[in-house]
Amino acid sequence: GENPALEIIRNAIRKRTFYQRQLNQFQCEVYTKGQLRVKKYPERFLGQKIDFGDLDTSKDKMVFLSETISRYSVDKPNKEKIEVISSRVSGQSDGFGLSAPKFFSFYDNNVFIGNNLNPRGFISPIAENAMNYYKYKYEGAFYEDGKQVNRIRVQPRRKYEPLFNGYINIVEDEWRIHSLDLLLTKESQMEFVDTLKIEQLYRPVTNEVWAIASQVMYPAASLFGINVDGSFINIYSDFRINPGFTKKDFNTTILKYTDSSNKKTPAYWDRVRPVPLQADEVADYNRKDSMELARKDPHYIDSITKTRNKVKVMGLLLFGKTFVSRNSRETLAVEPLIDQFSFNVVEGLVLNTGFSWSKRLDSSAVSRRSITLAPTVRYGFLNHHINAHLTFFYHFGKNYARSFQLSGGKRVFQYNNNSPIGPRGNTLSSLLSERNRLKIYEAWYFRGSFREGIGHGFTWTAGFQYQDRIPLENNTTYTWRDIKGREYTPNYPSDLVPQNFQRHQSFTVLFRLGWQPGTRYIELVDRKINVGSKYPVFNLQYIAGLKNILGSDADFSKWKFTIQDDINFRLKGKFSYRLGIGGFISRKHVDIPDYQHFNGNESVLATEYLNGFQLLPLYKYSNTSSFYGLAHIEHNFHGFITNKIPGIKKLNLYLVVGGNGFFMQGSTNYFECFIGLDNIFKQIRIDFVQSYLNGKIYSNAFRIGLSRFNTRSRGDDWP
């Protein structure tokens, strides 16, 4: 006869939506305990000694332990709130513990655990089309409270699909989930961890409704000789189904810590925790809490500060160095030495050095009030010019983040002040390919800006900037590789103008308003943290050049409006876009640095995805057009197609397709389309790009970039 597991699963699939809707509205209390352990690690990593700061030299140690009790409220589809009642972190009396009461419902077709594990999510064993993906085997039954519970073995039909492996237990006749024990591995297209085991147990809340009673997750990972595993336990209690929420029960805050949540005594925890601590957890609390008291001793603080502030040559060369003073709450950061030297044909060898000094203005570990001073000195060994400037930041704000910035002095600017060309990339292109892509000028300048979040997803920025601009010329033809028929281009956008500009002054003001509808916040005792929403981000910007202020020649005004969003289609990947329109309202006097610049690229290294053009000449299409539009779109399939191709699916590569384009009022329009592979060695992306100008084939090339990081060196954007 037919495999009995198939009929059980069919029945469970038929009842899936019924049980899914039973928990559309509920409130419960959740106890969460999370721990992470290091099972093995090397003495050094990238030349740096690994030090956990716990005076424990053993290779098997607990590095994180936390407990939380919270109230979890849900009103589907869009309302969710977590109120942390009490929280404890081993060795951190003022810390806020991990609060993750959300459970993963296997009544959903797609079980989404997180972008970092797999942005596509994972297919539930009782999803609508689960039988196309899984094989099932009946492995007997057991009885509980007079009910027969069927044990079903779940196995993927194909490797390298986002699927679970393990057991799911289904109640006979009711066809609901009783419990499950499922495993994810690298063959499930997992990222960053090697395995993740999930255990769930359901219990009756009423005669008709069952709710989750416990969920345990066991992650394990191994990377660069460091082996880590852990467990994250959630115990659910006091379930209230359909509690009758009102409008006051939900607002923009999705996670709130009460002011006394991390002030509970050990006696309180011994009384309220639903499961006892393990012996090693008790020992970890005792040891780290004692160590925390010892760390407050001035002699200990001085000793550990001296040790950690020791300078090592290789570390300073490659990673820079951060010096910390706990007593005064000060930090001094120095950039890597390798990043302080560069080359260009105007200044020759360049030393661009400095540091940033920061100070927290109160004793709270999560303080928002701080000041930062960042002096910078730049010296060109060929033209012997010294440029020095100082930047001051003040961060504050009780509820929403605010920041104030002042900066002034003399410095080197790119013609596109957003600094699309990084000094390292220009150094390599100059010395190896005889291409000076960096177009720069000097300026005495002074600027300031103020930025404030005002709640409900709104952020506004206002600023001003004065520049006394001084032109610069090429001073050398030096290169390591002289290419026949090629020579350095002038130090100005020669595609745009026939000669360098004359010294002039510019005073500009800026106003920007950003809004993300449905923005949600994490609310701590003294501040709110913006965590975004599922809706797009809208930005409106206005910049005006004001004539005769401090001798300013500028006389123009321009605007820009953009919309940007990521849409996760789960199994079919993620679609991302950035669309914009803008133009000059008036243009009586506009100098090149104040033009509308498109972020082009003439390097084999990719420019910033979704904010740049991979084959566009850097300044050729800079303009003062009264209207322009631009679009950046891409779809990352996250393995939806490549996981079906033999030989490639094991590499977990992602297919990426998309395009970038702009048009200006008149006759100029540009478009480029690309296809590429992402997630190469977890970080690298390679695209083939084909461009078109005014409907005709323009150029094509390959571009290499970093998939998860900003690949464009933006420098010091204003504001």
Side-chain angles (χ1 to χ4, degrees):
E2 185 184 50
N3 178 359
L6 297 182
E7 184 60 26
I8 294 170
I9 292 298
R10 287 194 191 101
N11 288 325
I13 292 174
R14 292 188 191 104
K15 295 283 285 188
R16 180 186 65 83
T17 56
F18 174 78
Y19 292 126
Q20 182 187 46
R21 291 168 184 164
Q22 282 188 327
L23 291 180
N24 275 348
Q25 189 183 88
F26 67 87
Q27 186 178 78
C28 65
E29 189 170 286
V30 188
Y31 166 79
T32 302
K33 181 177 69 175
Q35 61 156 282
L36 283 174
R37 302 184 66 95
V38 174
K39 311 291 288 187
K40 177 185 176 184
Y41 62 93
E43 294 290 337
R44 293 180 175 273
F45 179 69
L46 296 178
Q48 303 292 308
K49 184 179 179 180
I50 296 180
D51 181 12
F52 292 95
D54 56 5
L55 304 179
D56 181 7
T57 59
S58 66
K59 295 296 184 180
D60 185 351
K61 65 177 68 187
M62 192 174 297
V63 294
F64 174 79
L65 174 62
S66 167
E67 294 178 280
T68 301
I69 293 178
S70 54
R71 185 178 297 110
Y72 183 36
S73 304
V74 173
D75 188 2
K76 294 182 180 179
N78 299 318
K79 298 175 182 178
E80 186 175 283
K81 188 174 184 179
I82 302 165
E83 298 169 273
V84 176
I85 301 168
S86 50
S87 181
R88 185 183 185 187
V89 182
S90 181
Q92 299 179 36
S93 59
D94 59 349
F96 293 98
L98 175 72
S99 180
K102 185 174 183 178
F103 60 87
F104 305 110
S105 176
F106 284 79
Y107 290 117
D108 295 337
N109 283 321
N110 187 285
V111 183
F112 185 70
I113 299 177
N115 273 313
N116 289 332
L117 289 181
N118 187 332
R120 299 176 66 199
F122 301 92
I123 299 172
S124 169
I126 59 169
E128 192 71 29
N129 58 348
M131 301 186 80
N132 295 328
Y133 293 93
Y134 288 102
K135 295 183 293 183
Y136 303 94
K137 182 180 179 182
Y138 180 75
E139 294 202 353
F142 61 91
Y143 289 83
E144 187 176 274
D145 298 329
K147 297 180 184 292
Q148 178 180 323
V149 182
N150 301 297
R151 186 166 176 80
I152 309 297
R153 179 79 166 93
V154 177
Q155 292 179 293
R157 289 185 177 274
R158 295 175 296 276
K159 294 181 178 180
Y160 305 102
E161 295 274 10
L163 303 172
F164 296 93
N165 196 333
Y167 295 89
I168 184 168
N169 301 319
I170 305 295
V171 179
E172 182 74 14
D173 295 329
E174 298 177 7
W175 314 119
R176 67 171 85 241
I177 298 175
H178 170 276
S179 54
L180 56 85
D181 183 350
L182 297 171
L183 181 68
L184 295 169
T185 67
K186 288 294 187 183
E187 290 186 353
S188 308
Q189 287 196 304
M190 282 237 292
E191 299 284 352
F192 294 108
V193 299
D194 298 325
T195 62
L196 179 68
K197 184 179 181 182
I198 302 176
E199 296 177 354
Q200 286 186 347
L201 176 65
Y202 287 75
R203 284 288 181 262
V205 177
T206 68
N207 290 333
E208 299 295 328
V209 179
W210 286 34
I212 190 167
S214 66
Q215 174 179 276
V216 189
M217 302 178 65
Y218 300 95
S222 178
L223 187 66
F224 302 121
I226 304 173
N227 295 345
V228 180
D229 63 22
S231 64
F232 296 88
I233 302 171
N234 285 351
I235 306 295
Y236 303 86
S237 60
D238 298 332
F239 255 95
R240 292 198 299 141
I241 308 299
N242 300 321
F245 293 125
T246 66
K247 292 182 178 180
K248 296 181 180 180
D249 290 312
F250 296 95
N251 52 30
T252 58
T253 297
I254 61 169
L255 174 58
K256 180 178 181 179
Y257 289 86
T258 60
D259 56 0
S260 60
S261 61
N262 58 356
K263 308 301 180 185
K264 308 297 184 181
T265 64
Y268 163 87
W269 285 102
D270 292 338
R271 186 174 68 254
V272 301
R273 69 168 59 92
V275 292
L277 294 175
Q278 301 294 318
D280 59 344
E281 294 170 343
V282 174
D284 190 75
Y285 271 130
N286 291 335
R287 182 169 57 87
K288 289 183 179 176
D289 289 348
S290 298
M291 286 182 59
E292 184 181 17
L293 293 175
R295 287 192 182 102
K296 295 179 181 178
D297 182 272
H299 297 291
Y300 175 85
I301 294 175
D302 290 341
S303 175
I304 200 70
T305 298
K306 288 179 181 178
T307 301
R308 293 183 175 178
N309 287 345
K310 285 184 179 179
V311 177
K312 297 181 180 179
V313 175
M314 287 301 296
L316 184 62
L317 177 65
L318 299 177
F319 306 105
K321 181 64 179 179
T322 299
F323 302 91
V324 178
S325 173
R326 296 191 177 184
N327 286 327
S328 59
R329 302 187 296 274
E330 296 178 20
T331 301
L332 181 68
V334 180
E335 292 294 316
L337 293 179
I338 195 172
D339 289 339
Q340 296 184 23
F341 288 92
S342 62
F343 172 84
N344 64 70
V345 295
V346 176
E347 301 167 285
L349 178 64
V350 176
L351 171 64
N352 191 48
T353 187
F355 61 86
S356 65
W357 171 85
S358 300
K359 180 179 178 62
R360 288 189 290 113
L361 299 181
D362 53 50
S363 58
S364 173
V366 293
S367 169
R368 180 171 272 158
R369 294 180 60 241
S370 66
I371 59 173
T372 300
L373 288 174
T376 301
V377 177
R378 180 184 181 113
Y379 179 70
F381 286 86
L382 184 61
N383 64 358
H384 306 295
H385 287 197
I386 298 177
N387 291 277
H389 65 274
L390 177 67
T391 302
F392 168 80
F393 294 95
Y394 176 43
H395 297 276
F396 61 106
K398 182 173 178 57
N399 284 328
Y400 302 104
R402 300 174 182 175
S403 63
F404 176 71
Q405 174 188 345
L406 284 175
S407 183
K410 189 184 180 188
R411 64 180 296 179
V412 172
F413 290 90
Q414 294 190 40
Y415 274 78
N416 180 350
N417 283 186
N418 283 337
S419 304
I421 306 300
R424 185 183 302 173
N426 185 74
T427 298
L428 294 175
S429 67
S430 296
L431 296 178
L432 299 179
S433 304
E434 203 172 355
R435 294 185 185 274
N436 59 313
R437 297 180 291 117
L438 195 70
K439 308 301 180 184
I440 57 178
Y441 64 90
E442 290 178 345
W444 292 96
Y445 83 102
F446 180 67
R447 69 187 182 196
S449 65
F450 177 78
R451 186 177 187 271
E452 179 183 30
I454 53 179
H456 299 285
F458 284 97
T459 302
W460 69 277
T461 304
F464 70 90
Q465 178 170 237
Y466 169 79
Q467 288 188 10
D468 179 9
R469 296 166 175 163
I470 305 167
L472 296 172
E473 303 290 351
N474 289 353
N475 288 300
T476 184
T477 58
Y478 179 77
T479 183
W480 289 349
R481 184 166 172 254
D482 191 7
I483 299 177
K484 186 176 181 180
R486 182 181 299 172
E487 61 182 15
Y488 286 123
T489 55
N491 183 47
Y492 55 85
S494 55
D495 287 337
L496 196 63
V497 292
Q499 62 185 15
N500 215 334
F501 66 76
Q502 300 295 314
R503 183 170 182 171
H504 64 272
Q505 293 75 42
S506 172
F507 185 88
T508 55
V509 294
L510 172 146
F511 179 80
R512 180 186 299 136
L513 180 65
W515 179 46
Q516 186 173 25
T519 292
R520 301 166 299 170
Y521 297 88
I522 294 175
E523 186 175 337
L524 301 178
V525 177
D526 60 348
R527 59 174 174 160
K528 290 185 177 182
I529 302 172
N530 186 327
V531 294
S533 77
K534 64 179 181 180
Y535 298 104
V537 177
F538 300 89
N539 275 292
L540 177 64
Q541 177 176 287
Y542 174 80
I543 296 178
L546 304 182
K547 189 175 179 61
N548 296 327
I549 296 181
L550 300 177
S552 171
D553 302 299
D555 190 358
F556 67 89
S557 61
K558 61 181 179 179
W559 66 281
K560 179 169 65 175
F561 174 78
T562 61
I563 175 174
Q564 183 170 350
D565 195 17
D566 297 321
I567 303 174
N568 193 340
F569 289 101
R570 299 291 174 87
L571 292 179
K572 293 182 173 65
K574 183 178 73 172
F575 178 76
S576 303
Y577 67 88
R578 183 175 182 269
L579 309 175
I581 55 176
F584 278 78
I585 301 172
S586 65
R587 46 193 173 190
K588 294 180 180 178
H589 187 101
V590 189
D591 290 290
I592 295 175
D594 299 314
Y595 277 34
Q596 167 58 42
H597 300 288
F598 299 119
N599 293 324
N601 185 29
E602 297 175 355
S603 167
V604 70
L605 300 178
T607 190
E608 185 181 8
Y609 302 118
L610 291 177
N611 196 28
F613 299 87
Q614 302 299 339
L615 299 182
L616 186 71
L618 291 170
Y619 292 100
K620 187 173 183 178
Y621 298 102
S622 297
N623 64 89
T624 60
S625 173
S626 59
F627 187 80
Y628 68 87
L630 57 85
H632 306 279
I633 61 172
E634 71 172 40
H635 189 88
N636 192 322
F637 287 92
H638 286 149
F640 176 65
I641 295 175
T642 49
N643 69 345
K644 299 173 178 62
I645 303 175
I648 293 181
K649 61 183 181 181
K650 292 183 178 181
L651 302 176
N652 203 18
L653 302 181
Y654 300 161
L655 178 68
V656 185
V657 298
N660 306 300
F662 72 82
F663 72 90
M664 292 185 293
Q665 190 176 35
S667 59
T668 303
N669 63 82
Y670 172 88
F671 175 75
E672 59 187 30
C673 56
F674 57 83
I675 183 171
L677 288 176
D678 193 6
N679 207 41
I680 303 171
F681 303 117
K682 309 302 179 187
Q683 300 295 344
I684 298 174
R685 170 173 160 178
I686 299 178
D687 295 310
F688 175 76
V689 189
Q690 175 69 61
S691 66
Y692 301 85
L693 179 64
N694 295 328
K696 298 180 180 179
I697 293 177
Y698 188 57
S699 64
N700 58 64
F702 285 94
R703 291 292 182 259
I704 302 173
L706 297 178
S707 56
R708 287 184 171 85
F709 298 97
N710 182 3
T711 59
R712 183 167 64 90
S713 176
R714 294 179 60 85
D716 188 13
D717 289 1
W718 176 76

